[in-house]
Amino acid sequence: MSGDVVKSMSAETQMEEPKATEERPKWDNKVQYLLTCIGFAVGLGNVWRFPYLCQKYGGGAFLIPYLIALVFEGLPLLHLELAIGQRLRTGSIGVWNSISPYLGGVGLASMTVSFLVGLFYNTILAWILWYFFHSFQNPLPWENCPVNVNRTGYITECEKSTPVNYFWYRETLNITPNIETGGSLQWWLVLCLATAWCLVYVCFIRGIETIGKAVYVTATFPYLVLTIFLIRALTLPGASLGLTYLFTPQWETLKNPKVWLDAATQIFFSLSLAFGGLIAFSSYNPQKNDCQRDALIVGCVNSATSIYASIPIFAILGFKATENFNACLGENILALTNAFNIGDQNITVENYDDWFTHLNETEPSLVMDLHLRNCNLQTFLDQSASGTGLAFIVFTEAVIKMPASQVWAVLFFVMLFSLGLSSMFGNLEGVLTPLLDLNLVPKWMPKEVFTGLMCVVSFAVALIFTLGSGNYWLEIFNNYVGSLPLLIIAFFEITAVVFIYGINRFSDDIKWMTGQRPNLYWQATWRVISPLMLLVVFLAYIVVEAGEKPSYSAWNPNYVDFPLADVHAYPEWVYSICVLLSAVPCLLIPLAALYRLAQLLMKYMADRRTPNPYGNDSYVSDL
Amino acid sequence: MFGLLLLLCLPPALGAVDFSDYENGYQVRLSIKTALGDEAYEWNESEMFLFRATIAFAMRQFTKTEAYGIDNIVVRNQTQRVSFWFIVTSPENPAQTVEKETVEKAIRRSRNRINNAFLLTDKTLEFLGIPPTLAAPISPATPPWLIVFGVVIGLVCAGIVALLTSSVVKRRRGNKAKQLPEEEDPAKGTDKGITCEDRNGVYNQGFSDDDRLTQL
């Protein structure tokens, strides 16, 4: 009955007030919502982490642990987040507060992690912009070493490593030899970071109203570029080599437990779970929406994109390996031709082996003196990389060997930028929606100003990553913020919904929203399999990480074995920062619970002292 | 292939040569097929004649005299690679060779002319011991990346300004629209019997329209 009064009251207020302050923003249509969720899930990791894992863990065989993790861990958690957000219609803090006031900390932790991840993620976008700005030159700046001051030769640092490495470490990052050396702000990176944040702000300015329009481009453009690259890559020489290398299954790797751990963590981070962004997005949905189908669509599209992206990436890596192999042989051929004064172009790549065996028989000492490089195609193929190494070193090197390099470079970097931008929307929504729901935004401040303020604050804090040592700090944030806290948050999420909210109540909610009760698969995974898997992954992660001494590779031109990486251990103060970064989001969960408890105790004591006849103990404020 | 093998068996083809005559000489190496591919020309005596003429030309340009002739350029040890040694003899005294440094400076000065005579480059017409002069890097007044940056940031700022002004305009229009019905409101209000002072009402957070949760 109270419901009827409410409905009529709200109807009246809506008729009199054209601006309904309590009406929640909503998606223009279902497509916008799905594209936004897919854009959030499909990010840089699909392009530069999954192919690397595939190649590292035995090609086609890796798909098995990956798909098992998707079915038993990824999809259930995804469905859970979308359903809970849609049902309770608030952001992450509101959702967990509604389930139990003692669980508000889970939402706070999500918000903190989203904010910290957003900081370094946008810095990667700034780097991508830097490369994009430089792709409009002929020749590309990472193609040749720059000439030194006297014009007698090339800069030594570049000659010892490669032009691509030099451009990345020196001209882009201007990296310091170790993390203790802070360096100064690199003005060019500050400019790129400002541009990146401005671009994010333009799309994020009115929350989902503008995000929903932006994702039509940012979520679909990468697929177009991937297809173009696929067609181009398959016509390159050596492409089939790369593909067979990628997909040939090596079943023995499945016995290594680390493979299963990496598959589970990859699916988890790839779907962007526990950030609070998915909860925020689905909270803007109408309540009667089929969230089960949405979860299946987003999860399967994300995995399919990973697999689809790895095809052109590996075709291009196979091409690069072939080119490097031919260049290596070319050097040997030139050395032999010059030493033995054989006619020009008489030794070719095809008859090299015959010539080599013959010359080795007739003049072995002379051949030995030449110190010919051992050119092995497999070694070149094994030179894989993930993360920024793949995009800014390996791929840029491949691009300069392709005809019309500028076009491919521009396309590649725009694709990476739109992949990252759509993921940034989720990170920022994971921060904005809870703040809006908690009414922490002053009423007089328009949303545009608040989002602008968020961008300015994030830009200011992210300036750390534009220092000389910024890349080392980014690696720290990436490893310590974007990993362990998320696992803990997800574990609390699933236990909160299953055991505190009640799985039966949750299933009833879903029945009300979608029209059918979740079937046995969902029940089994939510109740038992997913929490168990999360616990196992979490423990295994701790064991693996605790076993290895944390260290990092530095780029030090004065290192004895330069250009090999100079591996250092983290100094004590840096290591304590790492631990803080992991611990603070997790500690927010018990701290918030304790705070609630303290509030309750204080209220109880106050009531005991002065009993209030009008006090309504069944009312607990949401604040 | 076998013909070449026979040629290789000939002793002078190897690099280990008596240098005593050639301390002022330079070894030259040509890679015609690498440079020109299908349009490669045969290296024969006429081409050698042209080479000697260009070196003599370079010496003339450098010393600013017309003393040097083709006979002053002596060539030895031609191989199949197309590589050979040459020395430059002094025009006054054919038994005396010109200093290595002088020859080097002369060749560096006219390097471009020598390369073009043979349609080759610094890499395919090598003078061993004379490093190629690296081209000065072209540095335009504005680095091109700043231009692209300027375009992008200009577009973005224009977008931000457009969006902000559109929301300001919308808000002002909304405020104006609100002022008109509010004048008629007191009459409407009394009809329905609602006499609150604050038209907005106060949101009662204690009331949630989901009665399931209040069962806590």
Side-chain angles (χ1 to χ4, degrees), chain B residues 138-144:
Chain B
I138 317 162
S139 44
T142 346

Side-chain angles (χ1 to χ4, degrees), chain B residues 39-71:
Chain B
E39 292 164 27
Y41 48 80
E42 270 297 313
W43 186 259
N44 50 32
E45 277 309 308
S46 308
E47 301 283 349
M48 183 54 83
F49 185 82
L50 177 61
F51 179 80
R52 294 165 69 197
T54 50
I55 300 295
F57 164 79
M59 296 302 299
R60 281 191 183 196
Q61 291 287 84
F62 182 67
T63 55
K64 296 188 178 41
T65 66
E66 297 191 0
Y68 288 91
I70 283 231
D71 300 322

